[in-house]
């Protein structure tokens, strides 16, 4: 409480969820609230170490007149292991839903909530436990690769907040982005609009979305042929056609397959050099230009995932067990949602859209103001919060339509050789040198 997002994630809110989870903890220094706060601060800080997290807890306790705890990291690491993953996920979803419900109608698309689905991968330490749950890619040799997890998220287009997520292995049956997306249908409500890239353009996913009352806008899959000479013509390179139900996929049971419609009316539209597939069949209600503009905004999810992986350093995790890996991903996304909430507050006060504010600039301002806000009270604390929100709103991003960059870097890495054998094996020849004698 008292931090920049203390009004969003209060102690009472955390305790309420703990009671609902029927979690039992001992009365220690690292209680669930202290542990979660330290975990969030650890993720928010550029120094992701547990030692730095414990140091911040010591400084806060001393500032509050309490005795300092041990600077060792053992108690904190054990407390993180005791945190239920369900607690983290429930808070993550609750913060995202709260932000959605408080979103001004002006930030929505035609009065409707737009969600973007996309996936990415994250790496982690090469431990036996991690390799079991998240096997490394087959292209990497044993002992030289790293476990890899696949992450699929639902992101609210207006604010960039994550509404839900699913984590699974990077390879194996039912581990693709489609399978993970089917694990999080609770993030979608009737009346929502889902946009995603061509990988998600499948008959059964669209049928499931329509059954939920959700409209979809995808780029057409590369394997599907589009012929604008067929179907009901709506305009130039714009028509409605009937898709026939394909054969039953291996992951779908017969009962579900039989419940699927035999045909789907689908609108196919060529706009901006892309062929889009959508469930908006009325060209007057949604024009082709509006479809193109909406799908073009999908690129924001790529940038948001880049913020999470690069600025928040989630690309390479530190957890040495699958349980800690999942918790680390959850806390990263929770912290990201809290940052997005503060950015939405700043945008609302400034009368602008949240996507006009720099994410990196917001993180820098929050980092600079956090300690001073915690140490202040009353009117001074309110003034600091107001000034922080004003400063965040001043960090605008430029208008960069059609921006494209090559997938290449100019600065060369250091000329170290690549490991061609496991590190333990490569270390053996070096042990013949007695470095203590030098």
């Amino acid at each position: 409480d008292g931090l920049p997002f203390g009004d969003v994630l209060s102690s009472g809110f955390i305790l309420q969820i703990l009671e609902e989870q029927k979690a039992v903890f001992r009365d220690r220094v690292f209680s669930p609230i202290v542990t979660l706060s330290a975990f969030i601060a650890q993720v928010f800080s550029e120094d992701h170490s547990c030692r730095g997290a414990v140091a911040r807890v010591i400084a806060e306790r001393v500032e509050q007149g309490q005795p300092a705890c041990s600077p060792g990291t053992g108690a904190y690491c054990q407390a993180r292991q005791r945190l239920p993953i369900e607690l983290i996920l429930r808070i993550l979803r609750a913060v995202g839903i709260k932000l959605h419900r408080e979103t001004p109608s002006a930030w929505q698309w035609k009065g409707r909530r737009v969600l973007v689905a996309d996936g990415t991968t994250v790496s982690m330490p090469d431990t036996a436990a991690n390799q079991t749950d998240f096997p490394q890619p087959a292209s990497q040799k044993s002992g030289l690769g790293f476990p890899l997890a696949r992450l699929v998220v639902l992101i609210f287009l207006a604010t960039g907040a994550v509404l839900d997520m699913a984590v699974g292995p990077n390879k194996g049956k039912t581990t693709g982005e489609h399978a993970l997306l089917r694990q999080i249908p609770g993030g979608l409500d009737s009346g929502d609009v889902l946009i995603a890239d061509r990988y998600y353009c499948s008959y059964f996913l669209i049928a499931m979305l329509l059954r939920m009352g959700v409209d979809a806008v995808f780029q057409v899959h590369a394997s599907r042929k589009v012929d604008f000479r067929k179907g009901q013509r709506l305009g130039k390179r714009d028509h409605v056609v009937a898709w026939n139900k394909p054969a039953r996929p291996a992951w779908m049971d017969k009962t579900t397959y039989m419940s699927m419609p035999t045909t789907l009316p689908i609108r196919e539209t060529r706009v901006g050099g892309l062929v889009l597939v959508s469930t908006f069949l009325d060209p007057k209600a949604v024009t082709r230009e509006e479809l193109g503009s909406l799908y073009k905004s999908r690129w924001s999810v790529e940038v948001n995932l880049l913020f999470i992986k690069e600025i928040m350093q989630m690309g390479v995790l530190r957890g040495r067990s699958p349980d800690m890996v999942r918790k680390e991903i959850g806390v990263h996304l929770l912290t990201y949602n809290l940052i997005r909430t503060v950015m939405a507050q700043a945008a609302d006060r400034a009368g602008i859209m949240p996507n006009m504010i720099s994410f990196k600039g917001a993180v820098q301002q929050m980092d600079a103001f956090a300690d001073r806000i915690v140490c202040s009270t009353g009117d001074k604390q309110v003034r600091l919060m107001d000034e922080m929100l004003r400063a965040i709103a001043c960090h605008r991003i430029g208008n960069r339509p059609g921006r494209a960059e090559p997938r290449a870097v100019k600065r060369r890495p250091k000329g170290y050789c690549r490991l061609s054998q496991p590190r333990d094996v490569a270390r053996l020849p070096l042990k013949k040198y007695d470095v203590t004698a030098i």
Side-chain angles (χ1 to χ4, degrees):
D1 295 334
L3 284 168
F5 23 71
D7 58 335
V8 181
L9 189 61
S10 65
S11 301
F13 177 67
I14 299 174
L15 288 173
Q16 178 185 349
I17 295 181
L18 283 171
E19 291 177 358
E20 293 174 358
Q21 294 287 332
K22 297 181 180 179
V24 179
F25 295 89
R26 296 180 182 178
D27 187 13
R28 295 176 172 175
V29 171
F30 288 102
S31 65
I33 293 178
V34 173
T35 304
L36 183 59
S37 299
F39 207 162
I40 291 173
Q42 180 181 358
V43 167
F44 184 78
S45 171
E46 290 189 9
D47 177 16
H48 271 35
S49 68
C50 291
R51 183 182 299 177
V54 174
R56 284 185 286 272
V57 172
I58 294 175
E60 183 177 349
R61 288 179 62 86
V62 172
E63 192 273 333
Q64 294 177 350
Q66 299 175 340
C69 61
S70 169
T73 60
Y76 171 61
C77 292
Q78 292 174 13
R80 290 201 315 170
Q81 293 175 359
R82 290 192 298 268
L83 271 181
I85 182 63
E86 294 80 8
L87 169 69
I88 298 172
L89 294 179
R90 281 204 57 185
I91 297 176
L92 164 66
R93 297 177 183 125
V95 173
I97 292 173
K98 177 179 173 63
L99 180 56
H100 158 63
R101 290 175 178 172
E102 297 177 355
T103 298
S105 58
W107 294 359
Q108 297 181 352
W109 181 79
K110 291 181 174 290
R112 302 180 67 175
R113 182 176 72 161
V114 179
L115 299 174
V116 188
D118 204 1
T120 187
T121 56
V122 291
S123 179
M124 65 197 72
D126 186 13
T127 64
N130 285 344
Q131 286 282 12
T132 301
D133 280 31
F134 306 108
Q136 68 185 45
S139 59
Q140 297 177 340
K141 295 181 180 180
S142 177
L144 297 179
F146 292 93
L148 205 62
R150 189 188 304 279
L151 170 68
V152 171
V153 294
L154 277 177
I155 291 184
F156 186 26
L157 180 63
T159 61
V162 175
L163 268 73
D164 212 338
M165 66 121 185
V167 181
N170 184 54
K171 64 178 183 179
K173 293 184 178 180
T174 66
T175 60
E177 293 183 20
H178 269 244
L180 292 176
L181 181 62
R182 289 194 297 271
Q183 297 178 21
I184 51 176
L188 293 166
D189 295 326
S190 177
D192 288 347
V193 179
L194 179 68
I195 58 178
D197 59 27
R198 62 174 57 185
Y199 180 80
Y200 292 85
C201 182
S202 75
Y203 181 97
F204 297 111
L205 178 58
I206 295 176
M208 292 176 181
L209 293 173
L210 288 175
R211 183 175 295 177
M212 298 166 58
V214 176
D215 282 303
V217 179
F218 304 141
Q219 186 180 353
V220 69
H221 197 278
S223 63
R224 184 174 289 276
K225 305 301 180 183
V226 178
D227 187 352
F228 286 104
R229 295 172 298 180
K230 300 179 180 180
Q232 177 188 353
R233 188 175 185 273
L234 302 179
K236 184 179 180 181
R237 297 186 181 274
D238 189 6
H239 68 168
V240 174
V241 293
W243 284 9
N244 297 319
K245 182 167 66 172
R248 180 172 68 90
W251 56 266
M252 182 179 290
D253 60 80
K254 292 183 179 180
T255 303
T256 304
Y257 180 75
M258 294 302 296
S259 67
M260 291 289 176
T262 55
T263 60
L264 283 179
I266 298 295
R267 182 180 179 183
E268 297 173 340
T269 309
R270 178 179 289 278
V271 55
L274 302 176
V275 177
L276 302 182
V277 168
S278 71
T279 55
F280 294 105
L281 307 182
D282 186 355
K284 295 182 179 179
V286 180
T287 65
R288 57 182 296 173
E289 290 76 16
E290 289 174 331
L291 281 176
S293 177
L294 178 62
Y295 185 79
K296 186 177 180 181
S297 64
R298 188 204 68 83
W299 181 249
S300 64
V301 71
E302 305 282 356
V303 180
N304 292 336
L305 288 174
L306 181 66
F307 292 156
I308 299 171
K309 294 179 66 174
E310 297 296 329
I311 296 178
M312 299 185 63
Q313 306 177 43
M314 197 185 76
V316 179
L317 302 172
R318 296 178 175 230
R320 302 185 65 83
S321 68
D323 185 57
M324 280 308 304
V325 164
R326 293 184 174 90
K327 291 178 185 179
E328 201 172 344
I329 293 174
V331 174
H332 269 89
L333 297 181
L334 169 59
T335 308
Y336 169 80
N337 270 3
L338 294 172
I339 296 170
R340 283 292 180 185
T341 300
V342 176
M343 292 175 63
Q345 293 172 351
D348 188 39
R349 292 193 180 195
I352 59 176
M353 294 289 291
N355 57 13
M356 298 174 62
I357 297 178
S358 165
F359 183 84
K360 179 67 174 181
V363 171
Q364 291 170 335
Q365 289 296 330
M366 293 173 64
D367 185 46
F369 274 86
D371 291 339
R372 291 164 177 80
I373 291 175
V374 171
C375 296
S376 61
T377 58
D379 293 340
K380 182 179 180 181
Q381 188 179 70
V382 173
R383 185 170 61 84
L384 285 170
M385 287 286 290
D386 290 341
E387 288 299 319
M388 183 191 69
L389 294 176
R390 185 193 63 80
I392 289 174
C394 291
H395 291 283
R396 310 285 179 88
I397 59 174
N399 183 23
R400 298 169 288 193
R403 184 186 185 191
E405 295 289 345
R407 285 182 172 264
V409 294
K410 180 178 179 180
R411 192 173 297 278
R412 272 59 172 173
K414 293 183 178 180
Y416 291 115
C417 298
R418 301 291 184 184
L419 275 175
S420 58
Q421 52 189 347
R423 187 174 294 276
D424 291 340
V425 177
R427 193 183 290 123
L428 291 177
L430 303 178
K431 291 186 177 181
K432 65 181 180 179
Y433 299 105
D434 186 6
V435 294
T436 61
I438 299 177

